[in-house]
Amino acid sequence: MTTQLKCTPQIIETTLRHLREGGEHDVETVVLWLGHATAEVTQITEAYRPDQVATFDRFHISSEAMRAVMAHLRKTRAKIVAQVHSHPREAFHSAADDEWAIVRHAGAHSLVVPNFAEDTTLNNFFDQVAAYELSSDDRWMHIELRTALKLEEP
Ligand SMILES: [Zn+2]
């Protein structure tokens, strides 16, 4: 059963801006979607770019940067809902992405944006982005983003 995510267009715009900035330097970028969950819906409230070291096809978040993420979560009383990251070319969940450890709870989402988000916009976001959800037996399942994520007006 897929968790229903909700966000404003602004969250997506901010995310794409971060990913494109990395793309201008030919590096991947990861943005964390933070939010609050109720029984019915998970509301995404912030697109948060953690401090990171990135290369053409990989990114790394140091333990110090991770502590800063956790401090921010305590302050905002939010949790990590999804990781959104860019790839140089195709959007898919790579083996390296599988091992990545921040977002590991069942129901967590992972979104992968192709071509460093160069030509990704709010209008084609749902066509271009590959989306995954972590199953209760710890496997990333490909999901239909249109079903999982609903846009709402700010
Ligand atoms: Zn990746």
Side-chain angles (χ1 to χ4, degrees), residues 28 57-59 83 85-87 92-94 96-97 112:
E28 287 194 359
D57 61 357
R58 205 155 276 223
F59 58 83
Q83 65 172 84
H85 79 283
S86 54
H87 272 185
F92 64 97
H93 212 269
S94 70
D97 296 337
V112 188

Side-chain angles (χ1 to χ4, degrees), residues 17-128:
R17 201 175 64 238
H18 285 309
L19 301 188
R20 271 187 227 113
E21 274 168 17
E24 284 166 18
H25 300 95
D26 280 333
V27 297
E28 287 194 359
T29 303
V30 62
V31 171
L32 300 175
W33 280 4
L34 313 182
H36 303 274
T38 66
E40 285 94 42
V41 67
T42 297
Q43 183 75 44
I44 297 152
T45 50
E46 187 180 2
Y48 179 92
R49 182 192 178 284
D51 276 337
Q52 54 199 270
V53 180
T55 64
F56 183 67
D57 61 357
R58 205 155 276 223
F59 58 83
H60 176 73
I61 300 176
S62 69
S63 47
E64 192 189 343
M66 206 50 229
R67 278 195 294 277
V69 172
M70 293 308 171
H72 183 76
L73 292 178
R74 280 194 300 275
K75 199 174 72 187
T76 56
R77 297 178 184 277
K79 63 171 201 159
I80 301 172
V81 175
Q83 65 172 84
V84 185
H85 79 283
S86 54
H87 272 185
R89 286 180 285 274
E90 301 96 312
F92 64 97
H93 212 269
S94 70
D97 296 337
D98 274 355
E99 283 164 29
W100 195 57
I102 287 191
V103 184
R104 286 242 63 115
H105 53 279
H109 287 74
S110 172
L111 274 56
V112 188
V113 184
N115 302 316
F116 291 142
E118 212 168 75
D119 54 6
T120 310
T121 64
L122 191 56
N123 288 330
N124 63 24
F125 188 78
F126 289 86
D127 300 318
Q128 290 200 356

Side-chain angles (χ1 to χ4, degrees), residues 2-6 109 143-150:
T2 295
T3 316
Q4 181 67 66
L5 305 179
K6 271 189 169 183
H109 287 74
I143 57 164
E144 188 55 56
L145 186 58
R146 265 177 228 286
T147 312
L149 177 65
K150 296 288 178 222

